[in-house]
């Protein structure tokens, strides 16, 4: 017992005190900034394995990007990744970063229902559904609740049943084999309920877009409340995105 | 047939070493009967040999079967092949050797070939390009039992925690599990077909990074090794160095996280919290090095994308200095706490005999007394120089599997400390990669934290990919989990499952 107390004592407080201003260590590929420098556009567009870069004007779609950094490596004068991890948004178009427009990505408050903010601001229970996820986003969602990121301090928690949930968090490109279980899980969640997509695979299909083994028709049927990009999404992207969505300061 | 020009006709197989590319015609083509005899002969009574891959691919109307048996003593892989028709009914290797169980099911699912004598020729993953599309995942033919005393429990595909989907069907007598059947396939994304359909190397790397996102280094390294070998590219000292460091860091990170999860499953909150937080500096170091906590973007074929510098070495030593005493302290507590030990010991036991007969690999095999570790038997990267000695435990229970993790972490830390004393000069000059050789076969084995990953590639007349085969270690090990929980209480299933920590997506592809 004494040994336990010793461990508790010297482990001290591990949580990140201010989740909104925490710095990520070393290099990190967060929000990209695209300059107006002239480069060979077709070369730049072609090099991206995820077809995330569009020409004229150059735009980079964070919903498709795998954050491999290859574009910035080959065209450093054009694209730079900043360490800004606050890149979750509630409108799909907001994930498209345009050249010369280097501003933080923002949640659009007008697109959030009053009901959502009134009900979920203090407590949000989520059911996670991995639908073809490669266990990287799942890993980061779990990390969001470890003693350092400690998301549950904000009343945001993952629950074991859709019956206990206020919404679902989808990871993965949504495989054909998971399409039906996902629908069942969503239907079993009592309303009002939200849908959060975490990771590039969930948002656009990622490298699996167009694979005959996936079925993304679920997403056509419902409104998506939050897009959390990343490959995988960083815990700080996840937590800040949800906090902004529910309007927690 | 022209193939006979390539080899003496009495040779029924060819032997290669890890990461070797050979002309596909160099693998002797034999009849299925000879193929059967040969591979059954390799495995029977030869604990040093096991099947690392066995698959089929279409050649016109027919199916070519390729079987790869690794020999841990000679450090070679024996490759044999035969041509069969999809309508053929073949004698099942599984009827006597369970290690072929899943491979034959996969071949049956993909091409419709019948294996007579296979005890359960059921679907493996309901792949999108399976032979019989009328069979769907919702209609999986589970075993059931007609009894008034026994009951069935179905769990999944969606589980209580934040984990991947899969269905577990238990047949129980009260609390006691008599039988467990594990049905997977929910994560099937069509990985192997995508390798062929995408033509850019960068796209294929992105696919390899997504095979199993918790084993990025392992799978990306296997893909890179296959590709480099196909292109005749020699990896540099620095590349091998970076890759070895990355692989061991991944092992430390995941094993630490698994110890945390095991503590969580026996309601030991302190262990859960401390091991959980100790994983963070390791994954954060991966981010400092390559910009991603799970090492996505770090390993690239033919390139040392993020050279490991002297500064990084200093930084890593600091991280390890802080990590190690706390890791050891927490283990000291955990492994002498009766309430935790009583949950770990004799729970979910896989005997050495079972582990061998179902063909387990990696740390699951090592927890049951088998010395199976690619780092020793078929060394790649720097493992030839490291003199790796596998960590082996003998009880085959949850306790052994956690002990293996604990000791492998310590071993990896030692390896890293040693490697940090000889960081090679950074050399950013990269040689060009060259073209993939035509009509070739390549096999790459990597010992990831779960165990052996095996990727195989076959090219056609223009050097284009005609087959890409991925085998995650979980493919072998899921059956061991199903057998481990027999006669255990169903309430111990979570801790058993956690102690295996197998990959769903790596299996489903
Ligand atoms: S970082 Fe994103 S946009 Fe750039 S090459 Fe990689 S996937 Fe494409």
């Amino acid at each position: 017992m004494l040994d336990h107390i010793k461990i508790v004592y010297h482990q001290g407080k591990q949580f990140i005190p201010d989740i909104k201003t925490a710095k990520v260590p070393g290099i990190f590929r967060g929000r990209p900034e695209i300059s107006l420098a002239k480069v060979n556009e077709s070369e730049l567009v072609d090099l991206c394995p995820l077809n995330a870069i569009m020409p004229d004007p150059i735009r980079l779609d964070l919903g498709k990007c795998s954050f491999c950094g290859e574009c910035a490596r080959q065209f450093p004068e054009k694209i730079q990744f900043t360490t800004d991890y606050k890149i979750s948004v509630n409108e799909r178009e907001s994930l498209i970063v345009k050249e010369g427009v280097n501003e933080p990505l923002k949640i659009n408050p007008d697109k959030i229902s009053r009901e959502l903010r009134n009900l979920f601001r203090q407590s949000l229970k989520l059911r996670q559904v991995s639908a073809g996820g490669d266990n990287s986003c799942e890993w980061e969602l779990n990390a969001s609740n470890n003693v350092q990121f400690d998301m549950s301090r904000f009343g945001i928690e993952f629950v074991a049943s859709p019956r206990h949930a206020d919404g679902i968090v989808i990871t993965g490109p949504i495989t054909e084999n998971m399409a039906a279980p996902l629908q069942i899980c969503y239907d079993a969640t009592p309303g009002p309920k939200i849908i959060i997509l975490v990771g590039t695979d969930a948002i656009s299909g990622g490298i699996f877009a167009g694979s005959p083994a996936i079925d993304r028709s679920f997403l056509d049927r419902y409104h998506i409340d939050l897009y959390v990009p990343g490959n995988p999404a960083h815990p700080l992207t996840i937590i800040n995105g949800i906090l902004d969505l529910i309007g927690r300061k | 047939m022209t193939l006979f020009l390539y080899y003496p006709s009495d040779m029924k197989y060819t032997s290669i070493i890890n990461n070797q590319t050979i002309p596909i015609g160099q693998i002797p083509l034999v009849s299925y009967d000879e193929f059967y005899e040969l591979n059954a002969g390799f495995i029977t009574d030869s604990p040093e040999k096991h099947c690392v891959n066995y698959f089929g691919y279409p050649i016109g109307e027919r199916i070519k079967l390729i079987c790869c048996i690794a020999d841990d003593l000679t450090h070679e892989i024996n490759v044999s092949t035969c041509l069969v028709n999809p309508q053929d009914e073949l004698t099942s290797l599984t009827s006597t050797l369970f290690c072929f169980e899943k491979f034959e099911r996969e071949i049956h699912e993909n091409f419709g070939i019948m294996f007579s004598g296979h005890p359960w020729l059921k679907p493996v993953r309901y792949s999108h390009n399976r032979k019989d599309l009328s069979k769907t995942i919702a209609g999986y033919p589970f075993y059931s039992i007609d009894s008034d005393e026994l009951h069935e429990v179905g769990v999944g595909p969606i589980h209580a925690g934040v984990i991947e989907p899969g269905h577990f069907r238990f047949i129980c007598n009260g609390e006691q599990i008599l039988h467990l059947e594990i049905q997977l396939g929910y994560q099937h994304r069509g990985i192997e077909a995508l390798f062929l359909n995408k033509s850019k190397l960068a796209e294929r790397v992105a696919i390899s990074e997504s095979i199993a996102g918790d084993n990025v280094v392992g799978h990306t390294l296997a893909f890179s090794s296959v590709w480099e070998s196909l292109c005749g590219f020699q990896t540099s000292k620095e590349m091998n160095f970076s890759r070895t460091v990355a692989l061991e860091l991944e092992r430390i990170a995941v094993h630490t996280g698994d110890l945390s999860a095991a503590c969580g499953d026996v309601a030991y909150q302190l262990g859960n919290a401390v091991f959980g937080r100790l994983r963070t500096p390791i994954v954060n170091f991966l981010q400092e090095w390559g910009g991603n906590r799970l090492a996505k973007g770090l390993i690239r074929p033919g390139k040392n994308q993020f050279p490991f510098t002297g500064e990084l070495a200093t930084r890593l030593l600091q991280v390890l200095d802080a990590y190690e005493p706390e890791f050891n302290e927490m283990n000291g507590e955990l492994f002498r706490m009766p309430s935790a030990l009583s949950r770990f010991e004799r729970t979910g036991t896989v005997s050495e005999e079972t582990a061998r007969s179902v063909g387990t690999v990696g740390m699951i095999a090592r927890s049951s007394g088998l010395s199976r570790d690619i780092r020793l038997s078929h060394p790649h990267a720097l493992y030839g120089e490291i003199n790796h000695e596998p960590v082996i435990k003998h009880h085959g229970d949850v306790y052994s599997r956690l002990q293996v993790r604990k000791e492998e972490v310590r071993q990896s830390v030692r390896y890293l400390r040693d490697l940090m004393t000889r960081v090679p000069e950074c050399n950013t000059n990269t040689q060009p990669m060259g073209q993939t050789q035509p009509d070739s076969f390549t096999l790459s084995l990597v010992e990831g934290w779960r165990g052996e990953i095996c990727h195989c590639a076959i090219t056609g007349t223009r050097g284009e990919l005609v087959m890409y085969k991925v085998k995650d270690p979980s493919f072998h090990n899921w059956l061991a989990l199903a057998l481990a929980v027999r006669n255990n209480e169903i309430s111990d299933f979570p801790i058993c499952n956690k102690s295996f920590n197998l990959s769903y997506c790596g299996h489903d592809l």
Side-chain angles (χ1 to χ4, degrees), chain A residues 3-4 10-11 14 25 27 29 46 70 73 127 130 132-135 140 142 148 175 177 211-212 231, chain B residues 158-162 185-187 189 200 213-214 268 277 280 287 290 292-293 296 305 326 329 333 336:
Chain A
D3 292 338
H4 281 164
H10 77 74
Q11 288 287 329
Q14 289 288 344
I27 47 171
R29 292 182 287 273
D46 265 4
E70 200 54 40
R73 174 178 281 271
R127 180 78 270 263
S130 169
D134 67 4
N135 206 25
E140 290 297 38
N142 279 317
Q148 285 131 335
T175 55
N177 290 344
S211 165
N231 182 35
Chain B
I158 304 174
H159 298 281
V162 180
Y186 294 96
Q187 299 285 71
R189 299 149 291 168
K200 288 189 208 159
D214 52 16
Y268 182 37
R277 86 138 202 88
T280 307
Q287 182 192 291
N292 188 297
R293 302 204 327 149
K296 289 195 176 183
Q305 191 86 328
E326 300 201 353
E329 179 184 39
E333 280 307 303
R336 62 186 167 91

Side-chain angles (χ1 to χ4, degrees), chain B residues 323-488:
Chain B
Y323 169 94
E324 215 178 357
E326 300 201 353
F327 180 78
N328 289 339
E329 179 184 39
M330 201 59 247
N331 275 306
E333 280 307 303
L334 175 64
F335 288 109
R336 62 186 167 91
M337 207 170 52
S339 59
L341 293 179
S342 70
R343 296 285 312 279
F344 298 156
E345 285 173 347
R346 285 180 289 278
T347 305
T349 305
V350 183
S351 69
E352 185 173 338
E353 195 191 333
T354 304
R356 177 168 301 124
S357 90
V358 303
T360 56
V361 297
M363 52 145 299
I364 302 303
R366 297 195 285 278
S367 305
S368 290
L370 302 189
S371 172
R372 201 157 275 173
D373 194 324
I374 297 301
R375 289 175 289 175
L376 173 68
S377 58
H378 300 84
H380 51 91
L382 289 190
Y383 293 106
E385 301 171 16
I386 280 180
N387 278 333
H388 173 63
E389 264 183 52
V391 174
I392 298 177
K393 297 287 161 187
H394 295 276
H395 295 294
D397 51 5
V398 171
Y399 179 80
S400 283
R401 290 188 283 276
L402 298 181
Q403 285 286 329
V404 165
R405 285 185 172 88
K406 177 190 85 180
E407 291 187 22
E408 288 196 346
V409 167
R410 289 194 183 147
Q411 187 181 49
S412 298
V413 170
R414 274 204 309 281
Y415 291 163
L416 288 176
R417 283 192 187 285
D418 176 49
L419 286 170
M420 291 310 113
T421 62
R422 45 195 170 100
V423 182
E425 282 289 310
C426 281
N427 179 3
T428 43
N429 294 343
T430 42
Q431 333 141 233
M433 267 282 270
Q435 295 294 316
T436 50
Q437 293 162 47
D439 294 318
S440 298
F441 170 82
T442 300
L443 176 147
S444 170
L445 290 166
V446 170
E447 186 74 23
W449 64 266
R450 276 193 183 96
E452 113 203 346
I453 295 165
C454 180
H455 287 202
C456 294
I458 296 169
T459 56
T461 46
R462 288 168 290 111
E464 80 284 9
L465 269 187
V466 295
M467 177 68 195
Y468 199 85
K469 182 81 203 114
V470 176
K471 188 218 64 192
D472 188 87
S474 309
F475 194 76
H476 299 272
N477 290 348
W478 276 108
L479 180 61
L481 170 62
L483 297 174
V485 300
R486 286 190 178 176
N487 297 319
N488 282 237

Side-chain angles (χ1 to χ4, degrees), chain A residues 29 47-53 60-61 64-72 79 81:
Chain A
R29 292 182 287 273
L47 77 86
C48 175
L50 275 294
N51 299 321
I53 305 178
L60 195 162
D61 184 351
K64 290 185 174 172
C65 174
S66 73
F67 297 83
C68 70
E70 200 54 40
C71 49
I79 299 183
F81 281 88

Side-chain angles (χ1 to χ4, degrees), chain A residues 3-23:
Chain A
D3 292 338
H4 281 164
I5 295 169
K6 216 172 89 198
I7 295 177
V8 172
Y9 180 75
H10 77 74
Q11 288 287 329
K13 291 194 169 72
Q14 289 288 344
F15 67 90
I16 299 168
D18 188 351
I19 213 90
K20 295 192 175 246
T21 57
K23 290 260 177 294

Side-chain angles (χ1 to χ4, degrees), chain B residues 249-285:
Chain B
L249 281 169
E250 187 172 62
R251 193 179 323 276
I252 296 173
V254 184
H255 281 356
T256 309
D258 284 351
L259 287 167
S260 164
C263 290
D265 271 340
V266 298
Y268 182 37
Q269 292 308 325
L270 185 66
N272 180 252
V274 172
F275 285 123
R277 86 138 202 88
L278 281 173
R279 188 183 69 178
T280 307
I282 307 292
V283 292
N284 279 353
F285 178 78

Side-chain angles (χ1 to χ4, degrees), chain A residues 9 36 51 55 59 79 81 96 108 112 155 186 188 225 240:
Chain A
Y9 180 75
L36 292 169
N51 299 321
R59 287 150 297 154
I79 299 183
F81 281 88
I96 300 173
N108 181 353
I112 302 172
Y186 183 73
D225 294 277
N240 279 293

